Amino acid sequence: MNRVLVIGIDGGTFDLIGPWAAEGHLPNLARLMQEGSYGPLESTLPPVTSPAWPSFATGKNPGKHGVFDFIQPMGGQYDLVNSTSIKARTLWEILSASGRRVGVINVPVTYPPRPVNGFLVGGMLSPQSSRFTYPADLLDRYRHELPPYRINPSVQYKSGNEEAFLDDLLDLVERRGQYGLRLLADHRWDFAMLHFQATDVLQHALWRLVDPSHPRHDAEAAARFVPRMRAVLERIDDFIGRLIEQAGSDINVIVMSDHGFGPLHWTVNVNLLLLDAGLLHLKRDAFTRLRAALFRAGLTPASVWHWIERAGLQNYVWLVSKSTRNKVVSRFLSFADVDWSRTLAYSIGHVGQIYVNLKGREPGGIVEPGEEQEAVKRRVCEALQTLRHPESGRPLVDRIIDGRQAAHGPYAHRGPDLHVVFDGYRAIAFPLFATDSHLITTQIRGDSGSHRLHGILIAHGPAIRGGQKVEGASILDLAPTILHLMEVPVPEDMDGRVLTSLLSFDWPVTYTSATEEAAGIGTPLSREETTEIEERLRSLGYLG
């Protein structure tokens, strides 16, 4: 039986891995590419961590597993997603049911942990203060041997703290790798997966330093910090080599990412566009009108932050609790000021997701499904086409994808009605109501990198054909490919295909009947856990 080791490099891109491997900085990844096969891996729409990893794990599009973003919107309100939101069996659950031993470490959207035939350590969206492993006492034996396990970064990037930020990410990689080595040495496994999140956080904050064409590129800072940025990937590369050596020569390795990465230049306040187009309406009371007038005049979260920066007080802001900061921000114009009885469409989500205020789905829905819904979508598309690049004047919108093209299945109706690609993802949407009074503005957080549709796929091992150029692979294809590689029948309701061109054997693919829906296994999150996760998402920029 073939054994499989999957390494997830969150946000991994060949734009960095390719040249750094060629220059000798990433010898293990370079060897895997030279001896194995590799190519781009298409992500989900939107190319976001939270729908992408469940899509990888289930082999199904979000319309079948039910996770479309970090949040499930409901007319300006939202619930955070977690593993109970995934309404489909995961790869490791299918393997467990087939008698295979599994070990899964740090994959996002795996908390609360669901039982497996082996062990699981929850990843991003797991509260650090909880029992985030299966079995619950999995990490107890390492308490006196290794530093405490860390799920998330501890240092939020801001200009001037690059050293501390990079030190923290290197420590995060170090602990992840050390626990990965120990857990996979101490437990028998047939399938194992280890996920590294630090690369995503790193590229969001500091992409401008590795990209000389970025409008905010700083050559002096790049000379100082790009070697430290590269060191994060060098450390991951070293752990990859050690994990392969420890696993043995019979191991098949898949290195992959949930999406790619590239430059970020602008933020689009989509709800202001919808407001100007008469598709979104505010309440008519005097207090809302006053707040709207002040917002239009420039009293916004962004302007207040810029005043703080000019006064040199930005470092003191971080001494104030996150809950207090969030309460202050909520005093500005927000979704609480929207008149849902007159609103036809709204945007929520940081990539460009737009929802029709649909009857039967939204709490205050007024738009009838069908013809009326389609008419609203056409009006939204017309409004979007008026957006112009703030420098060149050319259209800012590249593509508008209908939600029916992005997802299908029993949960597809819960997803966005439209997905918008702004300037090749060089511009993204402000995730909540609006950050300032301009339709198109700079990033208030200072991020200079954002996601791209294509990530990485590298495959190597005795069951992998070498020298193949991977073409047209999707993140949905990996679960069925791994199942076939491990001689487990592929559920017929998976959307992905087996990448037979990657495999060195020609066994016929066997299928089994559709997998049963996952029953939301796990204890609901407490209010404290939800608050912790929400604050983490805010600190990463996914909630404003």
Side-chain angles (χ1 to χ4, degrees), residues 315-329:
N315 291 336
Y316 295 100
V317 172
W318 306 105
L319 302 177
V320 179
S321 72
K322 291 178 182 177
S323 60
T324 301
R325 297 200 307 268
N326 292 336
K327 286 177 182 177
V328 171
V329 171

Side-chain angles (χ1 to χ4, degrees), residues 97 107 129 152 158 179 192 213 233 241 245 248 277 282 318 346 348 370 405 410 441 447 481 508 521:
V107 177
S129 57
N152 298 303
K158 57 182 182 289
Y179 273 91
S213 69
L233 266 167
E245 182 180 12
L282 300 178
W318 306 105
Y346 67 100
I348 187 167
Q405 294 176 253
T441 186
D447 282 0
T481 299
I521 302 167

Side-chain angles (χ1 to χ4, degrees), residues 10 47-50 69-71 78 124-125 197 200-201 204 258-259 261 348-351 428-432 445 447 451 534-544:
D10 209 294
V48 174
T49 298
S50 46
D69 201 342
F70 289 106
I71 57 177
Y78 55 82
M124 184 183 182
L125 303 187
Q197 183 194 353
D200 180 271
V201 181
H204 272 300
D258 51 338
H259 51 73
F261 240 92
I348 187 167
H350 73 286
V351 177
I428 59 174
F430 186 73
L432 298 179
R445 284 169 36 84
D447 282 0
H451 299 177
E534 186 169 356
E535 290 185 348
R536 168 53 50 186
L537 289 175
R538 286 186 186 277
S539 72
L540 293 172
Y542 293 121
L543 286 180

Side-chain angles (χ1 to χ4, degrees), residues 19 39 48 83 93 104 148 198 207 237 300 314 337 346 357 389 413 439 462 477 489 513 519 528 536:
V48 174
S83 70
E93 289 171 325
V104 180
W207 184 269
D237 180 85
T300 67
Q314 64 269 32
D337 298 299
Y346 67 100
N357 191 23
H389 192 284
H413 66 283
L439 286 180
D477 299 332
S513 58
E528 292 75 17
R536 168 53 50 186

Side-chain angles (χ1 to χ4, degrees), residues 210-502:
V210 295
D211 181 1
S213 69
H214 198 286
R216 290 190 282 125
H217 180 71
D218 181 335
E220 182 180 345
R224 289 183 61 197
F225 298 120
V226 166
R228 297 287 312 282
M229 294 175 66
R230 191 174 59 230
V232 173
L233 266 167
E234 289 172 344
R235 199 71 190 104
I236 292 172
D237 180 85
D238 180 64
F239 278 120
I240 290 172
R242 294 170 65 184
L243 286 163
I244 292 172
E245 182 180 12
Q246 178 177 281
S249 60
D250 66 333
I251 195 68
N252 296 282
V253 183
I254 294 174
V255 181
M256 48 83 65
S257 64
D258 51 338
H259 51 73
F261 240 92
L264 172 62
H265 297 170
W266 305 98
T267 296
V268 183
N269 288 310
V270 180
N271 286 307
L272 296 187
L273 176 72
L274 300 178
L275 183 63
D276 291 343
L279 291 156
L280 183 147
H281 292 272
L282 300 178
K283 295 173 182 175
R284 293 166 170 163
D285 63 276
F287 188 54
T288 298
R289 289 180 178 180
L290 175 62
R291 291 212 287 187
L294 292 172
F295 196 93
R296 290 294 196 181
L299 186 60
T300 67
S303 65
V304 170
W305 175 251
H306 294 322
W307 294 337
I308 290 170
E309 283 187 317
R310 283 196 292 272
L313 301 174
Q314 64 269 32
N315 291 336
Y316 295 100
V317 172
W318 306 105
L319 302 177
V320 179
S321 72
K322 291 178 182 177
S323 60
T324 301
R325 297 200 307 268
N326 292 336
K327 286 177 182 177
V328 171
V329 171
S330 70
R331 301 304 181 193
F332 297 96
L333 199 67
S334 70
F335 279 123
D337 298 299
V338 171
D339 183 349
W340 296 103
S341 69
R342 296 187 295 142
T343 289
L344 301 176
Y346 67 100
S347 174
I348 187 167
H350 73 286
V351 177
Q353 302 98 304
I354 296 176
Y355 292 80
V356 173
N357 191 23
L358 198 63
K359 279 186 178 180
R361 181 181 68 185
E362 315 293 329
I366 64 170
V367 179
E368 292 285 352
E371 291 184 10
E372 189 176 352
Q373 178 184 9
E374 296 305 309
V376 171
K377 286 157 66 174
R378 287 193 294 271
R379 287 184 59 187
V380 172
C381 291
E382 290 169 2
L384 288 166
Q385 298 295 355
T386 67
L387 287 171
R388 292 292 181 268
H389 192 284
E391 294 175 340
S392 69
R394 57 182 171 79
L396 190 70
V397 173
D398 292 337
R399 296 173 63 203
I400 304 173
I401 302 107
D402 192 284
R404 294 169 298 186
Q405 294 176 253
H408 63 276
Y411 307 103
H413 66 283
R414 297 169 56 184
D417 293 283
L418 296 170
H419 297 264
V420 188
V421 180
F422 298 105
D423 194 24
Y425 291 112
R426 283 180 287 272
I428 59 174
F430 186 73
L432 298 179
F433 186 79
T435 180
D436 66 16
S437 57
H438 303 286
L439 286 180
I440 304 168
T441 186
T442 55
Q443 270 279 306
I444 185 174
R445 284 169 36 84
D447 282 0
S448 59
S450 66
H451 299 177
R452 293 297 186 271
L453 186 60
H454 289 89
I456 65 168
L457 172 60
I458 305 169
H460 178 279
I464 303 298
R465 187 175 295 164
Q468 298 297 302
K469 184 178 181 182
V470 177
E471 301 277 8
S474 162
I475 199 167
L476 303 175
D477 299 332
L478 295 185
T481 299
I482 291 167
L483 289 173
H484 181 55
L485 197 156
M486 297 186 68
E487 303 175 51
V488 174
V490 177
E492 61 187 5
D493 62 337
M494 282 188 171
D495 295 310
R497 62 189 173 91
V498 176
L499 298 173
T500 53
S501 64
L502 274 182

Side-chain angles (χ1 to χ4, degrees), residues 164-176:
F165 175 71
L166 289 162
D167 285 345
D168 180 66
L169 292 183
L170 277 166
D171 180 71
L172 189 65
V173 169
E174 185 68 28
R175 297 198 198 196
R176 187 73 34 80

